[in-house]
Amino acid sequence: MAASPLNTKSNFHARSNSLPSRPHPLILQCNEHLEWLKASHETSSSSSLLSHKLGGLQELHECVEKLVQLPFTQEALLHEPQKNCMDELLEGSLRLIDVCTSAKDSLLHTKECMRELQSIMRRRKGGDDGIIVEAKKFLTSRKVVKKAISKALGNLKAIAKTANFTSNIRDQQTMALVSLLKDVEVVTLSIFESLLHFICGSTQAKSGNWSLVSKLIHTKRIGCSSQAQDESEFSQVDAALNFFVLHVTSKSSSDNISNLPNHLMKLESRIQDFEEGLEFLFRRMIKIRVALLNILNH
């Protein structure tokens, strides 16, 4: 009997004794990336670790993109009698794209306002008054960003309450594949949530992150530590500008504003890092969705 490429060691679903023991290399790679990403959520999240998580997501989705284009994958999903299964996978792919877009928009909006502030500070146009005006604009913009992020996170909560994934797939190979794709969605959404909180300037890990998205599928609970995060570059800039605006006449305010260019440089570098990672993921997720649509419309 030929070895089945859909046999997997994922902890989320049971192995079948009837399936051969040699998994496809892409299945192994996907599970390795998944296990690392899940384990990374058990530690505190610094900005550098969050960048590493985005890098891990890139590798995971690159594997998934290759996986959904393989003939055996298309064959398994094409002959799945439960049409709801494909509908759920497509809805999941759309969820990922929507949340990724929200994160990209938040970064772009923050970056544009940050560059205006940097320009004013370099030229010292209008002295401290000019900086104050631009600082207030930046802080107002950040409020808009945080409101948009809050809405995106609220949408995820609503989805988690209503999602009901199919679990009665008869073919075990297809079930293994679908379970893997659902695992990918849950892990990706969880890291996107962490990123959105980070952009907001959250200083503490959200213990409900994993429990929120884990409701999207009926699998075992993924643990998440509630340890404090390292202060994000976003929150550092927010704090520096708020202090400057409130204490503009004090000496401590002058000292604070003198450190702001350094904070802004770090923030600019972090934004660029996140943007590059999200753009890569966005392109991969579009390709995965197109591949799933092609299977459905075959």
Side-chain angles (χ1 to χ4, degrees):
M1 187 177 193
S4 168
L6 289 176
N7 186 21
T8 174
K9 296 180 180 180
S10 171
N11 289 330
F12 287 112
H13 42 77
R15 282 174 74 106
S16 167
N17 292 330
S18 64
L19 291 177
S21 59
R22 184 168 297 178
H24 190 281
L26 282 175
I27 296 290
L28 286 176
Q29 290 177 36
C30 285
N31 278 288
E32 287 172 3
H33 293 312
L34 280 169
E35 291 306 315
W36 182 86
L37 289 167
K38 284 179 278 183
S40 72
H41 257 284
E42 297 176 1
T43 60
S44 59
S45 290
S46 64
S47 57
S48 59
L49 180 56
L50 193 49
S51 291
H52 284 308
K53 291 177 185 178
L54 286 177
L57 275 185
Q58 292 175 38
E59 294 175 349
L60 173 60
H61 282 267
E62 195 168 15
C63 286
V64 173
E65 181 194 350
K66 295 175 182 177
L67 182 63
V68 296
Q69 293 175 348
L70 291 177
F72 75 77
T73 302
Q74 297 175 4
E75 185 75 11
L77 294 178
L78 182 63
H79 290 91
E80 169 52 43
Q82 300 290 333
K83 182 178 181 294
N84 289 340
C85 170
M86 284 300 297
D87 290 340
E88 289 161 4
L89 291 177
L90 286 168
E91 288 174 6
S93 71
L94 190 57
R95 275 193 289 269
L96 295 181
I97 292 170
D98 285 345
V99 179
C100 185
T101 300
S102 294
K104 288 174 59 181
D105 290 346
S106 298
L107 290 172
L108 178 61
H109 198 63
T110 300
K111 180 175 68 175
E112 289 174 346
C113 295
M114 178 192 66
R115 286 182 172 172
E116 288 293 326
L117 177 59
Q118 287 175 312
S119 177
I120 291 293
M121 292 187 66
R122 281 194 297 266
R123 292 181 286 142
R124 298 296 294 186
K125 183 178 179 180
D128 284 350
D129 289 342
I131 297 176
I132 291 172
V133 170
E134 207 58 46
K136 288 181 176 178
K137 287 182 181 178
F138 180 88
L139 292 172
T140 299
S141 173
R142 289 284 292 149
K143 289 180 181 179
V144 173
V145 167
K146 292 176 183 181
K147 185 176 180 180
I149 289 176
S150 179
K151 182 179 179 180
L153 293 172
N155 289 338
L156 280 180
K157 289 180 181 179
I159 291 168
K161 290 179 180 179
T162 59
N164 182 25
F165 284 97
T166 301
S167 58
N168 59 344
I169 300 174
R170 296 177 183 177
D171 182 75
Q172 293 190 23
Q173 294 187 23
T174 303
M175 173 57 96
L177 176 62
V178 171
S179 296
L180 176 62
L181 295 176
K182 289 177 181 178
D183 292 351
V184 170
E185 180 189 350
V186 169
V187 169
T188 304
L189 285 176
S190 297
I191 293 175
F192 280 172
E193 280 191 278
S194 296
L195 176 60
L196 288 172
H197 284 297
F198 201 83
I199 295 171
C200 273
S202 299
T203 57
Q204 187 173 4
K206 304 297 182 180
S207 60
N209 280 358
W210 283 100
S211 61
L212 187 159
V213 295
S214 66
K215 294 175 184 177
L216 290 171
I217 61 174
H218 303 302
T219 60
K220 81 172 189 179
R221 180 74 166 270
I222 304 172
C224 178
S225 170
S226 60
Q227 296 176 0
Q229 291 177 319
D230 292 354
E231 189 177 18
S232 77
E233 291 84 354
F234 297 88
S235 63
Q236 289 172 0
V237 170
D238 289 347
L241 288 176
N242 274 306
F243 188 90
F244 174 70
V245 170
L246 292 174
H247 306 87
V248 66
T249 59
S250 67
K251 181 182 182 299
S252 58
S253 177
S254 298
D255 294 339
N256 191 273
I257 201 67
S258 66
N259 293 325
L260 185 58
N262 185 46
H263 288 314
L264 290 173
M265 286 181 61
K266 290 180 179 179
L267 177 59
E268 184 175 28
S269 175
R270 187 58 61 194
I271 288 176
Q272 181 178 346
D273 185 30
F274 287 164
E275 281 186 322
E276 289 175 356
L278 288 173
E279 184 58 33
F280 181 96
L281 284 167
F282 184 81
R283 292 196 301 268
R284 287 292 179 274
M285 289 187 292
I286 289 291
K287 290 181 179 179
I288 291 169
R289 179 169 174 78
V290 169
L292 291 174
L293 284 169
N294 287 338
I295 295 172
L296 183 65
N297 297 325
H298 189 277

